[in-house]
Amino acid sequence: MVSAELQELAEKAWVYGFPLVFDLDQVNRFVADGMGSLEPAPFNTFSHARTLAGPRDTFVSVNNDTVYSIAQIDLGHGPQLLRVPDSGGAYYVLQFVDAWTDNFAYVGKRATGTAAGLYLLTGPGWSGEVPAGATQIAFPTAVGTIVGRWACDGVDDLERVNALQSALTLEPVGDREPAEGLPAPDPNVPEDLRFWEKLRVYSQAYPSAAQDLIAEQMFAPLGLLETGASPYLEAPPDLAAVLTAGAEAGHRSLVAALKSGAGAAVVNGWQLMYHAFDYNDDFFEVGTVNSPEWRIEDRSKALGLRAGAAMAGLWGNHGYEAAYAPIYHDNEGNELSGEHTYTLTFAPTPPVDAFWSITMYDLPEFFLVDNPLDRYSIGDRTPGLVFADDGSLTITLGATAPADPVARANWLPTPAAGFRPMLRMYSPKAEVFDGTFEIPPIVKTT
């Protein structure tokens, strides 16, 4: 295989494997260091944020609407029992994500209701008896993540939410050894080849879906299928150059795809990412919707979307749970920047059964940004908003506080440089998907 073909193969392999490597890097980071307000926690233990997310929560597109409860799960030594409290009708969702970032199960108000529940979490190949009263949730990979989000109406509502979080528990079934955690890639592999070593080790420990395992065979010339000692410790210079160039090309193509909308419909500059998490075509446990409109037939397209979703919105929900729409450009087609001031007028506001919000992020990390108002999102639960007489809501976006009192009440601060807002609609109504509701443009005013 000539070097040009090999580099193209490496670019494809990088895009293919990016979600696995990026996800498990975050899993390791979470267990060892935590994430902002989420303290580090060992596998099979929930970490609870006791406040809403802020700038210290350096995680991709973290939301500011809900309080997080997150657990990294390792079922290598046996099942875990998950107990969920009665939320009293309040919105929450527990999202189950495998190592390849497939959303394969949901527990929560939309999926299973708000009564108390008992769930048996099992790993690949498990066989046994499910306890009476429990529902089995089969994990596609031995390691996965539960991302819990509890709707919170501000500081005054935290006591209620914190009590629910404390009642959310995991416990091993029987006398089990402690979780082992992730396998360790060879630490002596050169830095510029570390991604490939992680992909090699992780993909063998956590096999992908059967249809993707077949596709992985094409990556053999890159060393990804080799077992035992790492082929990247003393990789031939030509192979090392190809892998490095392929990784750089894959990263560039993924960033470009995200900015262009990654194939999503674009309305008034908003990228309708309602189907950005439909790449799971294999694993449908409790709470998922297994129907054609929520699956992507073109596997090549699905794998590209999977990589984009990991980079810009890791651990995001399916559209039927929460519909996402990011935006990079104003009504004139120019990239959004804190050098200018903008308005966004909802008339009507987004149609949802739960709630909606628009959250502000910086570029290129997609993190929340500190601001003097300590406001990182605006939505239907934001206190003090001023609506017009016709019921419309005009939000002002800019780095400088508006002088007008109404604009200041409805001000969503932006970074001083480039930024990317995201609209979230939790439990979206049918009008969101059939086009009846159209998200208005962001209009530059100064």
Side-chain angles (χ1 to χ4, degrees):
M1 184 178 291
V2 298
S3 59
E5 293 176 341
L6 202 59
Q7 182 174 322
E8 183 178 355
L9 183 66
E11 180 179 350
K12 290 180 180 179
W14 189 92
V15 172
Y16 174 83
F18 173 79
L20 176 70
V21 173
F22 187 56
D23 175 82
L24 294 183
D25 279 350
Q26 299 308 308
V27 169
N28 262 335
R29 173 191 169 199
F30 190 95
V31 172
D33 304 318
M35 291 179 181
S37 57
L38 286 155
E39 296 294 329
F43 280 96
N44 302 327
T45 304
F46 275 102
S47 175
H48 303 293
R50 299 302 188 178
T51 61
L52 291 167
R56 64 186 291 257
D57 296 281
T58 52
F59 186 76
V60 175
S61 298
V62 66
N63 86 56
N64 186 243
D65 308 303
T66 63
V67 179
Y68 282 91
S69 294
I70 296 182
Q72 307 303 339
I73 305 299
D74 184 349
L75 303 172
H77 288 306
Q80 292 276 320
L81 270 178
L82 169 67
R83 298 183 189 275
V84 178
D86 187 334
S87 74
Y91 179 88
Y92 80 96
V93 60
L94 300 181
Q95 169 198 1
F96 294 73
V97 191
D98 74 4
W100 289 89
T101 73
D102 290 320
N103 296 329
F104 64 92
Y106 292 93
V107 170
K109 185 171 183 178
R110 177 202 60 84
T112 56
T114 62
L118 180 65
Y119 300 89
L120 181 71
L121 315 183
T122 61
W126 179 84
S127 61
E129 187 175 342
V130 178
T135 299
Q136 182 183 1
I137 298 179
F139 277 54
T141 52
V143 164
T145 303
I146 301 176
V147 185
R149 300 172 176 90
W150 308 88
C152 181
D153 291 337
V155 175
D156 293 340
D157 194 31
L158 283 172
E159 183 178 356
R160 176 192 66 83
V161 172
N162 293 165
L164 291 172
Q165 291 176 296
S166 297
L168 183 68
T169 63
L170 284 162
E171 61 184 74
V173 177
D175 185 16
R176 301 291 182 183
E177 297 178 16
E180 292 182 354
L182 306 185
D186 193 317
N188 297 312
V189 168
E191 181 63 31
D192 55 355
L193 298 181
R194 196 69 54 81
F195 171 89
W196 301 100
E197 172 65 357
K198 289 180 179 178
L199 179 54
R200 182 186 74 90
V201 172
Y202 292 158
S203 62
Q204 293 176 25
Y206 310 111
S208 61
Q211 62 177 323
D212 294 336
L213 280 175
I214 297 173
E216 283 181 19
Q217 299 304 308
M218 75 174 69
F219 301 142
L222 304 175
L224 291 173
L225 305 187
E226 293 190 26
T227 59
S230 173
Y232 309 119
L233 279 171
E234 298 180 1
D238 289 348
L239 176 61
V242 161
L243 292 173
T244 301
E248 292 172 351
H251 185 271
R252 286 195 303 270
S253 68
L254 195 53
V255 171
L258 286 172
K259 285 195 172 184
S260 67
V266 177
V267 174
N268 293 325
W270 295 88
Q271 300 172 2
L272 307 186
M273 307 301 289
Y274 305 158
H275 296 281
F277 295 91
D278 292 2
Y279 45 80
N280 174 23
D281 193 42
D282 301 275
F283 310 109
F284 297 91
E285 295 290 307
V286 61
T288 55
V289 178
N290 184 3
S291 59
E293 66 270 28
W294 296 106
R295 302 176 73 163
I296 299 172
E297 290 187 8
D298 184 336
R299 195 59 188 158
S300 178
K301 178 182 177 182
L303 295 176
L305 283 175
R306 182 176 72 177
M311 177 174 283
L314 183 68
W315 302 343
N317 290 290
H318 275 98
Y320 50 77
E321 185 69 48
Y324 305 105
I327 187 169
Y328 293 84
H329 302 92
D330 64 18
N331 62 313
E332 299 175 358
N334 298 315
E335 292 192 2
L336 298 168
S337 171
E339 298 174 343
H340 304 286
T341 301
Y342 309 84
T343 58
L344 170 64
T345 301
F346 285 115
T349 55
V352 293
D353 286 326
F355 52 91
W356 66 269
S357 71
I358 177 169
T359 307
M360 183 60 59
Y361 301 99
D362 71 358
L363 291 175
E365 291 89 1
F366 308 113
F367 293 163
L368 301 179
V369 179
D370 195 16
N371 65 78
L373 198 60
D374 199 28
R375 175 184 282 177
Y376 310 102
S377 65
I378 280 181
D380 56 359
R381 298 164 301 139
T382 303
L385 296 181
V386 179
F387 289 76
D389 292 341
D390 62 0
S392 63
L393 175 66
T394 297
I395 299 171
T396 297
L397 299 89
T400 304
D404 178 78
V406 172
R408 184 173 176 81
N410 298 350
W411 176 41
L412 180 57
T414 75
F419 62 86
R420 184 212 65 177
M422 180 182 286
L423 175 66
R424 287 180 172 87
M425 294 168 279
Y426 289 83
S427 295
K429 293 185 177 180
E431 300 96 288
V432 170
F433 303 116
D434 66 18
T436 303
F437 170 72
E438 184 174 290
I439 311 174
I442 291 180
V443 178
K444 186 174 73 173
T445 56
T446 61

